[in-house]
Amino acid sequence: MQELFRIENLCMAFGEKEVLRNINLTIRRGEIFALIGPSGAGKTTLLRILNLFEKPTRGNLKFNGLANEGEINNIRRRMSLLFQTPAIFKASVFDNVAYGLRVRGIDKMTIENKVKSALNIVGLEGKEAQKARTLSAGEAQRMAFARAIVYDPELLLLDEPTANLDPANVAKIEEVIKRIRSERGTTIVIATHNIPQVRRIADRVGILLNGELIEVNTKEGIFMAPEDARSEAFLKGEMIY
Amino acid sequence: MSSTEFLIQGIIKAFELIINLNPYIFSITGVSIKVSGTATILATLTAIPLAFALAFLDFRGKQALITLVNTGMGLPPVFVGLFIFVMLVPAGPFGLLNMIFTPEAMIIAQYILVTPIITGISLAAIKAVPKPIIETVYTLGGSTKDAVIATLMEARFGIITAILAGLGRALAEVGAILIVGGNIAYTGSVGGIGEGASYTRTLTTAITSETSKGDISTSIALGIILISLNLSVNLLATFFQGRD
Ligand SMILES: Nc1ncnc2c1ncn2[C@@H]1O[C@H](COP(=O)(O)OP(=O)(O)OP(=O)(O)O)[C@@H](O)[C@H]1O
Ligand SMILES: [Mg+2]
């Protein structure tokens, strides 16, 4: 499969604190890649670096073979990061979802259609005019999801998109993730603690432990024949951290 | 006449003056609104961009500027009045402009008083916008300009409150405009009381002079108008705070 994002020898420190150590990883076009690991392992930090929010202390990032120097905004516009706790603009659901299209200067008609279809996908049709801050937590999460996919990003970075949701909402989001991958070919990197979720949706898995990517493997590989003993312990929930 | 009767008569006459749209009183109100309104508009045009620059940009002297703004928020009006006076008197550095004892001089003084207030309160409102909101703008492909606009939208009620706080302060201020404006009205009486129409006489400066002249009912009438104006500004501010 074709590579979309290559990460080489990446290190990240906040002051003295090393948060990511020597990460090497290639994200392939069209895959659903699950990034798992205990709390504090560095999942959010890695996603923020991929979205070019945070400059790594060391290492190379190549999106589509392009080095990121000098054109951060152009590269960032081809992806989307859904935050662990989405921030919602003080505006209607429609205006929230339309945001990424408006900053790209898309025409009104197209915006109307794209917003409508994005809201449809996440099951929020008819909520366009509601003030976004009055949505329930599950609805807000789905709205943020619609906002992240509305402009068809090539790469969708999801930071624990189902962490605080009830089973119905979790199922809905997982269905949407699979659907946009199959319908649009979107590449997806999802950070999660949820091992059953990994089984349900991932193609490949990376296990992050204390800032180190201890194993990258196919889903089958990692569950049936993990290469690292710590992977097995983590996946079985036997790891104490 | 007992002191209560004196007061009641004063109030009754004050309402008569207001209801009859007394020209002297209304020209004074006009000057107040014109001077404080213009000063507030000019201050807003300076303060909002300044607050955004302080919130979004890193530049040399930024900390010093923030200190200046904070100090400026509590600047004593008489001090500002004295400073502008010294600048504008004929012998002063800007004496040739012939601006002392004009409405323009008063506008400058109030502009200096109000700009730090609007800047300070706006900056607080801008800084209160959660960082994830700004990051969301960037992750959705927005530029720094988009981030500024989004912040303006998020902080809009706080910024309106800042502007109204500035206006309230300007309307209530007396020390600076008394010194640089001189509390001047034209000669010749209008409407049977006081002097002629106001030139640099405002609600606050007129209250000081009418009271010392002993014209209590005129003072009370002016006071009622002043309080009503300030109350309206405050009610408006409360309304916008409630919207947040
Ligand atoms: N800006 C920062 N400054 C200092 N330390 C930071 C910063 N951001 C993250 N860290 C630290 O980096 C480590 C990794 O954090 P990160 O948020 O990436 O973990 P995570 O794997 O996403 O955890 P969780 O599952 O709880 O979300 C943590 O110890 C955190 O305290
Ligand atoms: Mg996290």
Side-chain angles (χ1 to χ4, degrees), chain A residues 14 17 19 37-46 84 159-160 193:
Chain A
F14 293 107
K17 190 173 174 174
V19 174
S39 180
K43 301 182 295 294
T44 297
T45 307
L46 183 54
Q84 202 162 350
D159 197 353
E160 299 186 33
H193 298 275

Side-chain angles (χ1 to χ4, degrees), chain A residues 48 51 77 90 104 133, chain B residues 135 138-141 154 244:
Chain A
R48 287 173 62 88
N51 199 212
R77 279 193 167 196
K90 207 184 278 179
R104 283 169 178 74
R133 295 220 172 135
Chain B
E135 291 189 337
Y138 287 122
T139 188
L140 295 174
E154 295 293 313
D244 238 344

Side-chain angles (χ1 to χ4, degrees), chain A residues 207-209 212-216 227-228 230-231 234 239:
Chain A
I207 300 188
L208 201 57
L209 208 61
E212 260 179 88
L213 200 53
I214 59 165
E215 178 165 354
V216 176
E227 289 159 11
D228 194 302
R230 291 169 297 175
S231 304
F234 176 72
M239 181 170 280

Side-chain angles (χ1 to χ4, degrees), chain A residues 89-103:
Chain A
F89 298 125
K90 207 184 278 179
S92 67
V93 169
F94 183 94
D95 288 341
N96 265 273
V97 176
Y99 193 83
L101 298 168
R102 293 216 172 108
V103 298

Side-chain angles (χ1 to χ4, degrees), chain B residues 64-136:
Chain B
L65 204 53
I66 291 177
T67 309
L68 196 68
V69 167
N70 287 335
T71 315
M73 286 178 82
L75 220 51
V78 281
F79 173 79
V80 174
L82 175 63
F83 176 75
I84 302 292
F85 183 86
V86 171
M87 291 291 136
L88 295 183
V89 282
F94 297 98
L96 286 174
L97 295 176
N98 256 330
M99 273 174 67
I100 192 67
F101 305 136
T102 62
E104 288 72 31
M106 298 157 78
I107 290 170
I108 293 172
Q110 291 208 327
Y111 168 80
I112 290 174
L113 280 169
V114 165
T115 302
I117 293 174
I118 302 181
T119 308
I121 301 177
S122 298
L123 183 59
I126 291 168
K127 285 210 168 144
V129 174
K131 200 173 158 222
I133 288 277
I134 317 247
E135 291 189 337
T136 301

